[in-house]
């Protein structure tokens, strides 16, 4: 029977998973990837590496536990009778004490849960599947992999707020997120011998951020204390003058919960377009507000790219990844056109084809599209954490 690792990736808009068989040398081989939904539209959907459909099953009105149970049962019976020996999780916030992937104990799960105030909407989504599996399969080893960990290399001044130091001692500092995605891209760059380039990775999905890589390690990023900072996102505001928050609290009579809802769920592309958080829908719409949302997204992305190029002292390589970065030629084109002054020159044909390299040879900045693969990063961490590799 195959020994198998399940990698769960609870993102801002979905719960993705990867199923990895463990090879002889303990290395992971992807057997399936897919997503699960919960609630009314609950489902399991999976495909094999080359896109061959494996399962697409509706499980109407199922809870998170029901769906995870159905997923584990599918892997262990219909999908070739595999034996799941460990399960890895993407955890959004590791705070100041979780960096390396860990085999989770009940105390650690509580400690990770206790970080929820730092990421009120996302941390519970990370912890939910862990607690569900503890209930269903108490003996299954679960490994936590932290999105903040990749940014531990960011040093002052880049990780510092200009607040009195006492707040920094309380953990109020810039952490950075999407670390597993950046780790995935950094290891690809290393595999092709391009780690030494000053690189900005643009992770543009529902959640969006940038990471500046020097010699393959993070030296700056656009998300800070929370996943609200930096770029305009699907429903999140990105960087905002803190005076706006004070004004809303003091003069608009807004309660903290309402403010949280506004900033996390009503802002960004959705707030500006008054129509959708989905870039595909905005691109397809003739409504001027949809165009304005697109333009603000691009404007703010280029402004932040320029800021990170400043941190790096120049730019050799720009990498697009995640849903929008990998699939929207219109966003990539608009961003690259604005960055012409920085030596970025896009090849229109290559961009339309979503080619791996989309810069013209004369561009001083190489522009790449790289699919991110957070699940594979999780699977590797799992196997390391349980001593297989
Ligand atoms: P998450 O942060 O939830 O993992 P994804 O990385 O899947 O999100 O990105 C979702 C975003 O990618 C959505 O805004 C979606 O519209 C956008 N997207 C996906 N495919 C395309 C496409 N072909 N053109 C434009 N945008 C796309």
């Amino acid at each position: 029977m195959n020994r198998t690792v399940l990698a769960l990736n609870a993102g801002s808009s979905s719960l993705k998973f990867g199923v990895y068989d463990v090879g002889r040398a303990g290395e992971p081989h992807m057997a399936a990837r897919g997503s699960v939904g919960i609630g009314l539209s609950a489902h399991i959907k999976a495909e094999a590496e080359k896109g061959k459909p494996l399962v697409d099953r509706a499980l109407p009105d199922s809870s998170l536990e029901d769906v995870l149970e159905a997923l584990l049962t599918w892997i262990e019976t219909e999908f070739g009778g595999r034996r799941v020996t460990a399960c890895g999780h993407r955890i959004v916030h590791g705070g100041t004490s979780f960096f390396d992937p860990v085999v989770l104990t009940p105390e650690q799960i509580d400690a990770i849960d206790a970080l929820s105030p730092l990421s009120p909407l996302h941390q519970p989504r990370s912890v939910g599947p862990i607690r569900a599996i503890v209930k269903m399969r108490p003996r299954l080893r679960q490994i936590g992999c932290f999105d903040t960990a990749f940014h531990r290399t960011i040093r002052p001044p880049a990780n510092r707020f200009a607040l009195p130091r006492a707040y920094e001692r309380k953990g109020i500092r810039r952490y950075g997120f999407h670390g597993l995605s950046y780790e995935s891209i950094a290891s690809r760059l290393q595999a092709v011998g391009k780690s030494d380039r000053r690189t900005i990775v643009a992770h543009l999905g529902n959640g969006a951020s940038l990471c500046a890589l020097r010699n393959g390690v993070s030296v700056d990023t656009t998300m800070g204390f929370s996943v609200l900072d930096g770029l305009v996102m699907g429903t999140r505001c990105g960087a905002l003058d803190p005076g706006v928050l004070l004004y809303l609290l003091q003069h608009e009579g807004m309660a903290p919960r309402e403010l949280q809802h506004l900033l996390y769920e009503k802002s960004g592309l959705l707030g500006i377009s008054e129509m959708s958080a989905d870039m595909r829908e905005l691109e397809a719409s003739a409504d001027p507000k949809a165009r304005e949302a697109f333009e603000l997204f691009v404007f703010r992305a280029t402004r932040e790219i320029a800021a990170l190029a400043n941190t790096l002292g120049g730019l050799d390589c720009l990498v697009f990844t995640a849903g929008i970065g990998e699939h929207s030629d219109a966003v990539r084109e608009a961003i690259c056109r604005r960055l012409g002054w920085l030596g970025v020159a896009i090849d229109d044909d290559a961009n339309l084809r979503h080619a791996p390299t989309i810069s013209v040879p004369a561009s001083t900045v190489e522009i790449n599209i790289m699919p991110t693969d957070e699940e594979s990063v999780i699977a590797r961490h799992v196997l390391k954490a349980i001593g297989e590799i």
Side-chain angles (χ1 to χ4, degrees), residues 245-310:
L245 308 182
L246 293 176
Y247 183 86
L248 293 175
L249 288 169
Q250 293 172 339
H251 300 289
E252 289 279 316
M254 213 174 242
R257 277 210 169 273
E258 280 177 274
L259 187 54
Q260 176 175 305
H261 185 61
L262 174 79
L263 303 178
Y264 278 94
E265 301 192 90
K266 290 281 170 206
S267 300
L269 296 175
L270 175 65
I272 295 297
S273 68
E274 296 184 321
M275 179 184 137
S276 172
D278 193 298
M279 188 58 91
R280 257 173 308 202
E281 284 178 30
L282 299 181
E283 285 182 19
S285 166
D287 188 327
K289 290 195 296 260
R291 187 69 210 164
E292 285 172 10
F294 178 95
E295 281 166 4
L296 183 61
F297 181 88
V298 168
F299 171 71
R300 293 273 294 274
T302 53
R303 200 163 73 160
E304 298 277 355
I305 288 170
L308 293 202
N310 173 64

